[in-house]
Amino acid sequence: MRTILTLLLIIVAEYVMAQDSIPALITDRPDQTESAEVVPLKSLQIETGFVMENSQSDHYKQTSFAYNSTLLRYGLFENMELRLGLEYLGDKIKISAPDSTNTTSGLSPLNLGFKIKIQSEKGWRPAIALLGAMVMPFTASVDYKPRYTATNMRFSFAHTLSQKVSLGYNLGVEFDGENPNPSYFYSASLGIGITEKTGAFIESYGLLTERGTPSHLADAGITYLIRQNLQIDVSGGFGIENGVDNFISFGITYRLPQ
């Protein structure tokens, strides 16, 4: 009997230790600020969701959908992950003068990228990661194909402010594949741990252009950890300039193995 009890205690202890050793599930959705962490070595993390965005002016109204916005992240090395992004998009545009409606749908360009963790957080020094990606025009449907190969690069920074509050921010540059002028991306996201499984964030982000109108937006959302490798999220946001643009998003993240 003692032998059986001892074996049971060993099994329970090993199970508890195994659960404690599972790395935390850190995602790059639903906010626009990329985390400064990479996925664990040889792990595949699937981050997917649905987005609906509305924008309008005096003469038109546009409703845009990302029916399946998916990012695959694979831990190639302990400090580096490979990234593959793809979306199935749809747009409905209503023009008032003259009255007309145009509807399109199709695949976005394939996004191939990487993330390298440069340093971990230590004292006042933030965690830092470098992200880069190329967007391949030939992989997209006709309506969503840019003229040239697009690229983007950004640095991600993260600070732990307290046991339940963290700050992340990104700075980067991107080329949209339509013109040679770059856009400069910025974001800042404040994360709050409500419970062990529930988190929330509030964020500001935008693009500054050398030519053209800059865009500034704000969003907020909630995440819920169903299991140690499974999370769902909901978020929404709006344009700061005129308050007309708005969007809502639902998503799920799953990591293999656990």
Side-chain angles (χ1 to χ4, degrees), residues 119-128 157-161 167 169:
Q119 72 174 29
S120 298
E121 184 177 8
K122 185 177 181 181
W124 59 269
R125 296 190 314 176
I128 302 176
F157 305 87
H159 293 273
T160 300
L161 303 182
L167 174 66
Y169 50 98

Side-chain angles (χ1 to χ4, degrees), residues 158-257:
H159 293 273
T160 300
L161 303 182
S162 71
Q163 188 175 359
K164 290 190 175 182
V165 181
S166 62
L167 174 66
Y169 50 98
N170 290 177
L171 295 171
V173 61
E174 55 187 65
F175 294 86
D176 63 7
E178 296 295 340
N179 64 77
N181 301 312
S183 297
Y184 302 98
F185 176 83
Y186 75 89
S187 71
S189 178
L190 189 68
I192 302 170
I194 301 174
T195 68
E196 290 185 358
K197 293 188 175 182
T198 306
F201 75 91
I202 183 170
E203 177 184 48
S204 176
Y205 64 97
L207 284 173
L208 305 174
T209 60
E210 292 186 355
R211 297 181 182 179
T213 304
S215 62
H216 306 283
L217 301 97
D219 64 346
I222 295 176
T223 63
Y224 181 74
L225 192 66
I226 298 176
R227 296 173 57 186
Q228 289 181 304
N229 68 327
L230 179 63
Q231 178 178 283
I232 57 175
D233 61 70
V234 59
S235 62
F238 57 90
I240 295 175
E241 290 93 343
N242 49 32
V244 175
D245 297 349
N246 61 83
F247 68 88
I248 187 169
S249 172
F250 305 92
I252 185 170
T253 298
Y254 185 70
R255 187 176 67 204
L256 295 168

Side-chain angles (χ1 to χ4, degrees), residues 77-134:
F77 303 114
E78 289 187 357
N79 68 332
M80 180 180 179
E81 69 178 41
L82 298 180
R83 300 160 67 89
L84 179 83
L86 187 65
E87 298 177 304
Y88 188 82
L89 305 174
D91 288 280
K92 184 177 182 180
I93 302 174
K94 292 184 178 181
I95 301 174
S96 58
D99 289 340
S100 64
T101 300
N102 183 34
T103 301
T104 60
S105 63
L107 290 174
S108 70
L110 195 65
N111 188 310
L112 300 174
F114 65 88
K115 182 194 289 189
I116 299 175
K117 185 172 182 178
I118 298 174
Q119 72 174 29
S120 298
E121 184 177 8
K122 185 177 181 181
W124 59 269
R125 296 190 314 176
I128 302 176
L130 171 66
L131 297 89
M134 296 184 64

